[in-house]
Amino acid sequence: MNNAAAMALLSGSGISYQIGGRQILSEIALEVLPNKIMTLIGPNGAGKTTLIRLLLGLSPLQSGKVRRKPGLRLGYVPQRVMVADTLPLRVRDFLGLGGHYSVTEMQQVLDEVEAPAVFEAPIQSISGGELQRVLLARALLKKPELLVLDEPAQGVDAIGQQALYHLIRTLREKHACSVLMVSHDLHLVMAATDTVVCLNTHVCCTGHPEDVSEHPEYLRIFGSALDGLAVYSHRHDHAHDIRGDVVEGAAADCCHHEHPHPQ
Amino acid sequence: MDEFIINALFGGIALALVAGPLGCVVVWRRMAYFGDTLAHAALLGVALALSANFLPLIGVALIGAVLAVILFWLEKQSELSSDALLGILSHTALAAGLIVLSLVQRQTPGIDMMMYLFGDILAISRSQLYWMYAGVILISIAMWRIWPGLLSISVHEELARTDGISVSGLRFAFMLLLALMIAVMINVVGILLITALLIIPAASARLFSRTPVQMILLAVVFALLSVVTGLGSSMRWDTPTGPSIVVAAALLFFMVHVLRGLPGRE
């Protein structure tokens, strides 16, 4: 065991999973290190959500091991939360479910995720983007060491997605926590991640996002899907809304097919 | 006022006090059909208790607990959806209950099947009232204890689980409470109508509430109103009491919807 494995917040090894005879995951190993953002990417049906559920203990393991740092404080943002219309619940009631928090604490955290106005609103009435922020706020209230986000930007429009990933990155820096998130689009999360794990039943490749985007396995899986997409990379700059960023180095190589940048 | 009317009133109030909170959770967790199944199974419990000569209350509580276990286990094992499973259990239990009850009736002809099917609130005795209020106290304390977790799993089971809440434990605990409630309240409206008093007041309350607790309090109020008007109209027009209470609840439900739908309101 090297040092890194010893200090991992969450690690899994030899994880395999089958549903009805179909192999969903095969021999997965990964570890989430402190203060890092790790992103799982992969096509639909690659087993991303299954893996997250196994790591969190939401589904029983069939084989392999999951190790959590003892007493790990965890904030989880599921892929989709639908609160039944029959249940009257304001955002503030929802936030209060996870523990005992003061009104000030809850308002502060809503400010942090840039959704201060929804505090008193019924949770069924807020937009998809607001709901994702509220879920994030709920997770943050736990003062997490590890945030687990399953497709955090699902149901959010393209501009909202960029804003959301930017927010996640800011929050990571502010709270000094690790992030494990799932995405189906590497380029959306590129700027906001330290490590990418490309998953397609097995781990195809792991590494820095710009390296993964060049990896032959990655290109084999995603190459065709990437054609015709408006893809760009920005190197950890915070000006996420400036679409004409200069694309340089390795990152440029992955985007050399026609992409409609202004410059 | 005659004692039987006072007993009936107190019996109805007891029912309203537990139907409000339990009914809200039933509505939130879409357990209406489960409530029906439990109630149908209660008839089997009564019949078995009568044939073996012990308190019907205990028979109902036991059958309810057994059913909760079976359902809980089947849901984990089976490929069938829970509503199909409930359909099987519900009608099997009702049919078996009717058969056993008719067998019991052959030996002790005095037993009134209708009383169990539709309840007889006017026949509630003082000692039954004590049982009912013991039930109310027990259920209220239990609800108060499990409330935060119960609300959490009603909102989102997975989030609750990552918070360290035992989802299956709470689900099971709630099923048992529901069985207990049916066991102690069976005299008021009977097994065929008891779910109505869980669901209808809660549904009326939803319209006016912004928080879960508000909805529970309002559901109790609507249930109380239904019991009082139902009882009153049953005396006024000599209609069967249990059904009158349910119809009163339904009328209230439609009334609040119409009022809510009128222009000029929100």
Side-chain angles (χ1 to χ4, degrees), chain B residues 24-207:
Chain B
C24 285
V25 180
V26 165
V27 167
W28 297 336
R29 298 184 53 72
R30 301 168 196 272
M31 291 174 75
Y33 204 6
F34 177 78
D36 247 359
T37 307
L38 266 184
H40 287 178
L43 188 70
L44 183 59
V46 169
L48 288 175
L50 288 175
S51 67
N53 241 328
F54 53 91
L55 263 182
L57 180 86
I58 296 172
V60 175
L62 281 179
I63 279 283
V66 169
L67 189 79
V69 174
I70 292 177
L71 235 135
F72 195 70
W73 177 76
L74 272 181
E75 254 184 42
K76 285 194 169 168
Q77 305 287 317
S78 176
E79 313 269 271
L80 278 174
S81 69
S82 67
D83 90 313
L85 286 173
L86 285 171
I88 295 167
L89 285 175
S90 166
H91 299 106
T92 311
L94 184 60
L98 288 168
I99 288 173
V100 178
L101 202 60
S102 78
L103 290 177
V104 176
Q105 256 179 333
R106 264 183 231 171
Q107 276 150 19
T108 14
I111 291 166
D112 180 11
M113 198 185 289
M114 295 300 273
M115 188 184 101
Y116 294 111
L117 291 180
F118 299 107
D120 192 355
I121 192 174
L122 298 176
I124 290 176
S125 66
R126 187 58 74 84
S127 70
Q128 275 173 329
L129 266 188
Y130 292 147
W131 277 109
M132 292 173 78
Y133 275 91
V136 169
I137 291 168
L138 192 66
I139 291 170
S140 307
I141 292 174
M143 275 297 277
W144 183 67
R145 290 292 304 274
I146 64 173
W147 169 249
L150 196 57
L151 180 62
S152 266
I153 67 169
S154 305
V155 172
H156 200 269
E157 290 199 353
E158 282 186 359
L159 277 176
R161 203 175 308 171
T162 49
D163 285 350
I165 291 169
S166 160
V167 175
S168 35
L170 279 171
R171 260 157 84 178
F172 190 60
F174 184 70
M175 286 181 181
L176 289 182
L177 283 184
L178 215 50
L180 182 65
M181 179 253 177
I182 289 166
V184 289
M185 299 300 164
I186 197 168
N187 298 301
V188 183
V189 280
I191 59 151
L192 291 183
L193 293 176
I194 200 160
T195 348
L197 276 189
L198 286 171
I199 293 162
I200 303 176
S204 306
R206 173 62 184 101
L207 274 189

Side-chain angles (χ1 to χ4, degrees), chain B residues 199-201 203-205 207 222 248-258:
Chain B
I199 293 162
I200 303 176
S204 306
L207 274 189
F222 279 113
L251 286 177
L252 269 172
F253 173 79
F254 289 117
M255 252 167 58
V256 296
H257 271 81
V258 171

Side-chain angles (χ1 to χ4, degrees), chain A residues 3 7 11 16 27 34 36 40-41 77 79 87 94 123 131 140 157 161 171 182 186 206 208 219 227-228 238 245:
Chain A
N3 243 354
M7 53 187 255
S11 63
S16 299
E27 292 293 318
K36 293 277 181 217
L40 292 176
I41 59 158
V77 176
Q79 198 171 66
L87 176 49
F94 178 76
I123 193 150
L131 183 60
L140 286 175
D157 62 41
Q161 286 185 359
L171 290 174
V182 164
L186 173 60
T206 311
H208 191 269
L219 290 174
D227 286 338
H238 289 198
D245 253 8

